[in-house]
Amino acid sequence: MNRNDIIQKSNNSELYFEEEDLDSFLKKLKEMNSIEYVHELKEQPWGQRVIRFYDPDMHIIEVGEPMESVVKRLLSEGLPVEETSKRTLMPEEFVRQFL
């Protein structure tokens, strides 16, 4: 193999994007039959929901919720400020601004 060769699906880098309305984005993504997923929607230990898939050139694309959206979602689900802070690894002051 030549050092200039491109290795398809090498999984050695990814592009990351944030989407505030992740549910709508996922719906649009599901309408595309040609998407090859690294993994479907997954919730990280800190509460952020993310999905990873390949672009047409086989680069990894990750789309996740902004942490502000994660905090808002967890608070709306009834998680107390202290628990939300602990779960998301965000300071309590940051969490309180979304009450």
Side-chain angles (χ1 to χ4, degrees), residues 13-57:
S13 63
E14 72 178 48
L15 295 172
Y16 172 77
F17 299 94
E18 291 184 337
E19 176 57 55
E20 286 188 33
D21 190 356
L22 190 60
D23 293 321
S24 290
F25 176 79
L26 294 171
K27 189 175 180 180
K28 288 178 187 175
L29 201 61
K30 290 290 182 191
E31 294 171 359
M32 304 170 135
N33 295 328
S34 61
I35 300 294
E36 184 176 345
Y37 294 92
V38 176
H39 65 74
E40 297 278 339
L41 185 65
K42 163 182 181 175
E43 189 168 316
Q44 304 288 14
W46 54 90
Q48 185 183 37
R49 297 180 308 151
V50 299
I51 190 165
R52 288 184 181 94
F53 54 93
Y54 293 102
D55 76 1
D57 293 321

Side-chain angles (χ1 to χ4, degrees), residues 42-91:
K42 163 182 181 175
E43 189 168 316
Q44 304 288 14
W46 54 90
Q48 185 183 37
R49 297 180 308 151
V50 299
I51 190 165
R52 288 184 181 94
F53 54 93
Y54 293 102
D55 76 1
D57 293 321
M58 304 315 291
H59 300 107
I60 296 174
I61 305 293
E62 176 179 344
V63 180
E65 298 173 291
M67 289 309 294
E68 294 87 351
S69 297
V70 175
V71 168
K72 289 176 188 176
R73 180 172 48 81
L74 293 175
L75 289 171
S76 73
E77 292 172 359
L79 203 63
V81 170
E82 297 77 17
E83 291 296 319
T84 300
S85 172
K86 196 176 200 178
R87 171 99 188 268
T88 60
L89 307 173
M90 294 287 138

